[in-house]
Structures are given as C-alpha cells and as structure tokens.
Amino acid sequence: MWTNYVEAWKSAPFGMYFFNSILTTAVITAAQILTSALAAYAFARLRFPLKNFLFMVLVATLMVPSQVILIPNYVFSPN
C-alpha cells in the first residue's frame, strides 16, 4: 500500500540521510576529480624519476576489478 511509504518516510529522518548521501558523494567526486587532474598533469607534462614505472603501477591498479578485493575487505573488516 502506498501509505506504507509515507509512514516509513515519516518514521526516520530520511531527508537528512538523503542530504548526507548527496553531500558525501559530491565531496568525494570533487576530490577525485581534483586529484586525478593533478596526477594526469604530472604524468603528461612533468619529467621525474620512475615516471613510467609509476604510471604502469597506476594503470595496473585501475585494471583490478573491485570484485577481486571484495572478500579481503570483508575478512579484514573491524567487525
């Protein structure tokens, strides 16, 4: 029944939960874009020792799917 949705929405501060989720997402996305842009600039324009090795390490970590580290994250969780 549709009234159950209204009652559930009123039973907890879902508006605050939604705002917290949006705020967290926005901050993390902005930080990710900033750090990625700085790293991209460094790899594209600057010359520094071990540049190629560090770039290969970065690319290798991007190629590991998140499902691969799902079980180790669960095993090492502080629960």
Side-chain angles (χ1 to χ4, degrees):
M1 299 185 62
W2 293 105
T3 57
N4 291 340
Y5 289 105
V6 174
E7 290 178 28
W9 186 265
K10 290 180 181 178
S11 67
F14 286 109
M16 184 179 66
Y17 298 157
F18 185 69
F19 175 75
N20 288 342
S21 298
I22 295 297
L23 180 67
T24 302
T25 303
V27 169
I28 290 173
T29 301
Q32 184 69 35
I33 290 172
L34 177 68
T35 56
S36 297
L38 292 174
Y41 180 82
F43 282 124
R45 299 289 182 181
L46 302 178
R47 295 181 192 271
F48 54 91
L50 300 174
K51 175 181 170 179
N52 290 334
F53 174 74
L54 291 174
F55 183 70
M56 289 301 140
V57 169
L58 175 69
V59 170
T61 58
L62 291 174
M63 289 192 298
V64 176
S66 60
Q67 291 85 358
V68 171
I69 61 172
L70 184 66
I71 293 175
N73 282 341
Y74 178 75
V75 170
F76 292 123
S77 68
N79 293 345

